[in-house]
Amino acid sequence: MDLQPYLQRAVEAVREWESEWGSFRRHPSTRLDEAAVRHALSAYTSRLRGNCPFFHPRYAGQMLKPPHPAAVVGYLAAMLINPNNHAMDGGRPTSEMEKEVVARIAAMFGFPAAALGHLTSSGTIANLEAAWVARETNDRGAVAVSDQGHYTHGRLADLLRIDLRMVPSDDDGRMRLDVLEPAVRRGEIGTVVMTAGTTALGAVDPIADVVEWRDRYGIRVHVDAAYGGFFALAAGDDSAPLEDETRRHLQAIADCDSVVVDPHKHGLQPYGCGCILFRDPAVGSVYRHDAPYTYFTSADLHLGEISFECSRPGAAAGALWLTLELLPLRSDEGLGPMLSAGLRAARAWHALLLESHVLRPYMPPELDIVTYFPEPAAASAAGVSQASQEVFERGAEAADEAFFLSVLRLPGDQFARRHSDLETDADEVRILRSVLMKPEHEAYVELLHRFVTDAAAR
Ligand SMILES: *Cc1c(COP(=O)(O)O)cnc(C)c1O
């Protein structure tokens, strides 16, 4: 999809609608000098050149990529009008679109049609709402999250004065249920936060197993699927290269109390688009203490009544709506094949790393995040950190062969359990990490592998 003609068409369509309201004179104070515009715009765009090329497959670092052109066109068209999804009279069309896209996301997870949910400005705010609702609806004790959970949970617990218990993770980066269960059995834990796609390794916590405790122990289960949530589409596709366990846990999100997913990560949207969903619409009463009714559905509510944030961009809902019209949440078309391509790219790179004498994989990828490090000159953890840092820095300077990775810090003992042949001489080990979140990575991994290998061999 070519951006420019559709941008043009979107602007024209909005201008046409505007013209139907009759002409009026723009205030002179809003007028700008053309030369000044050209000058400022040129300064602006030249400063933007200082970014890494997030759009290019040679950028294989953090969770970053530009939105799909469909989202850009959708965002721009609504932004020209600037509806506020706080309330219906702030913008009925985009509020209705928000309910439609939220229903589609709920269906993707297998949540009931009555589930309550809305878009948020981020995964942070979505998790904040989940933590707030959990605190208000379950006064039994602490919240448990794994040590691989996002750092936002620690901050949110501080903010909401929630007792947070860190549960250690296993060597695959998944929460250790053997450690969690005794505390749950003793009634100390009110809510378990499971992560579907940890930020560092892309690990999926054993959600299905914790869901089984839900009724037995009366706990709430919240899933932080900000990053990995859309892989629920791949879980429903037998040809997607996911392990059976990963598939089972992603499918178990259907039975959890709440889930967070970030359309601004794997949902092709610009930043400013998170989403929170609650299975039981009755939790809406937490948002509106003065509500005259106790039963809520998104369908007959002003979204502002069930959202912690007040003003929210209607354009974000519009962008997501247009994107999902064209790229539906399906495993066999739309978003699904893009996610599967990333999964295959990660496995293909892992296979190349296994055969390499210059680079070594840290562990097999569970989703689309690959972790690896250069074989160090000195066979030690400190040697790994130094070699990783050097390759990371060389990548950005390699002209035609430039590449962009990220550096991941791991506790020394965690690293040592997987690579015991290397001397443990540091508390922390730095390795390399690549998030292969663009489908174009699949065709590019061989070249990327060569670039990184060349830089490491130098
Ligand atoms: C990104 C992320 C968050 C934070 O979401 P923001 O949208 O960056 O605020 C929380 N948890 C997980 C697992 C994430 O990947």
Side-chain angles (χ1 to χ4, degrees):
M1 176 176 170
D2 239 358
L3 182 63
Q4 273 151 330
Y6 294 105
L7 270 183
Q8 186 81 29
R9 196 171 293 188
V11 173
E12 280 164 13
V14 174
R15 293 295 176 238
E16 194 180 307
W17 171 75
E18 288 174 349
S19 71
E20 291 165 15
W21 296 95
S23 61
F24 64 95
R25 276 185 53 197
R26 296 274 172 193
H27 195 270
S29 63
T30 63
R31 219 171 286 142
L32 292 173
D33 174 61
E34 263 188 51
V37 173
R38 271 199 302 275
H39 184 261
L41 185 58
S42 139
Y44 175 60
T45 51
S46 69
R47 285 182 72 168
L48 290 180
R49 295 179 65 90
N51 280 294
C52 293
F54 307 127
F55 71 99
H56 199 284
R58 71 171 74 224
Y59 181 86
Q62 309 281 6
M63 297 165 173
L64 281 162
K65 66 173 178 179
H68 192 278
V72 177
V73 171
Y75 203 102
L76 178 92
M79 186 177 63
L80 290 172
I81 302 164
N82 208 21
N84 184 339
N85 277 15
H86 173 54
M88 279 295 180
D89 52 8
R92 185 170 286 276
T94 48
S95 292
E96 283 162 0
M97 287 178 204
E98 177 166 343
K99 291 173 182 177
E100 289 167 33
V101 293
V102 166
R104 288 184 185 193
I105 294 172
M108 172 180 80
F109 287 123
F111 263 41
L116 194 76
H118 59 89
L119 300 180
T120 61
S121 62
S122 65
T124 300
I125 297 295
N127 275 301
L128 170 75
E129 297 192 20
W132 178 37
V133 164
R135 191 192 70 179
E136 295 301 301
T137 54
N138 189 331
D139 50 10
R140 260 182 356 105
V143 171
V145 65
S146 101
D147 58 6
Q148 293 289 311
H150 197 277
Y151 66 83
T152 193
H153 298 288
R155 290 180 177 173
L156 296 179
D158 256 9
L159 187 68
L160 293 168
R161 305 206 180 283
I162 291 169
D163 175 14
L164 190 74
R165 305 284 177 86
M166 266 323 169
V167 183
S169 50
D170 63 19
D171 290 350
D172 294 327
R174 301 175 191 144
M175 185 190 278
R176 279 185 53 188
L177 298 193
D178 59 318
V179 178
L180 174 66
E181 187 169 14
V184 170
R185 215 181 307 122
R186 287 193 300 269
E188 294 168 13
I189 306 293
T191 300
V192 181
V193 175
M194 305 297 279
T195 306
T198 58
T199 313
L201 301 169
V204 178
D205 277 338
I207 300 167
D209 301 332
V210 164
V211 163
E212 284 181 16
W213 304 345
R214 215 171 62 120
D215 297 331
R216 193 181 330 153
Y217 298 120
I219 51 168
R220 281 182 73 83
V221 183
H222 168 65
V223 183
D224 181 0
Y227 183 69
F230 287 106
F231 285 100
L233 296 174
D237 172 11
D238 290 340
S239 66
L242 283 177
E243 278 178 44
D244 290 346
E245 276 296 276
T246 307
R247 217 179 270 282
R248 185 168 78 90
H249 295 311
L250 287 171
Q251 286 170 338
I253 295 174
D255 299 313
C256 295
D257 295 287
S258 52
V259 58
V260 162
V261 64
D262 266 352
H264 69 203
K265 282 189 182 135
H266 254 309
L268 310 173
Q269 301 307 296
Y271 287 116
C273 195
C275 179
I276 172 72
L277 285 166
F278 297 100
R279 147 180 297 284
D280 179 4
V283 302
S285 60
V286 172
Y287 289 85
R288 253 197 87 176
H289 296 276
D290 61 341
Y293 34 79
T294 52
Y295 193 81
F296 288 81
T297 62
S298 308
D300 44 48
L301 275 180
H302 283 249
L303 287 157
E305 292 175 283
I306 50 153
S307 164
F308 179 77
E309 296 173 278
C310 298
S311 293
R312 291 176 311 118
L320 184 55
W321 187 89
L322 184 62
T323 307
L324 297 186
E325 275 295 291
L326 295 163
L327 297 160
L329 296 176
R330 288 180 55 139
S331 42
D332 57 343
E333 59 169 301
L335 196 59
M338 295 190 201
L339 294 163
S340 296
L343 292 174
R344 287 193 300 270
R347 278 139 195 80
W349 199 0
H350 182 70
L352 293 170
L353 290 162
L354 278 174
E355 284 173 15
S356 172
H357 300 293
V358 178
L359 301 168
R360 191 197 291 192
Y362 169 68
M363 64 177 275
E366 186 166 357
L367 297 179
D368 58 357
I369 300 176
V370 186
T371 47
Y372 50 97
F373 55 89
E375 290 288 355
S380 71
V384 168
S385 295
Q386 195 191 341
S388 296
Q389 190 67 35
E390 279 171 17
V391 169
F392 170 76
E393 285 166 17
R394 274 179 209 156
E397 296 156 5
D400 286 354
E401 300 202 344
F403 58 84
F404 302 86
L405 315 174
S406 62
V407 170
L408 174 64
R409 294 160 191 273
L410 294 172
D413 54 344
Q414 187 185 331
F415 179 85
R417 285 198 296 274
R418 281 191 170 269
H419 300 279
S420 54
D421 60 314
L422 301 171
E423 189 197 335
T424 314
D425 57 353
D427 295 338
E428 182 187 271
V429 188
R430 272 166 289 157
I431 64 169
L432 297 167
R433 164 178 166 275
S434 286
V435 182
L436 302 182
M437 70 187 305
K438 294 181 285 273
E440 292 82 6
H441 277 130
E442 189 178 9
Y444 205 80
V445 277
E446 260 182 69
L447 195 55
L448 194 57
H449 179 68
R450 210 191 72 211
F451 291 169
V452 182
T453 304
D454 287 355
R458 249 184 279 140

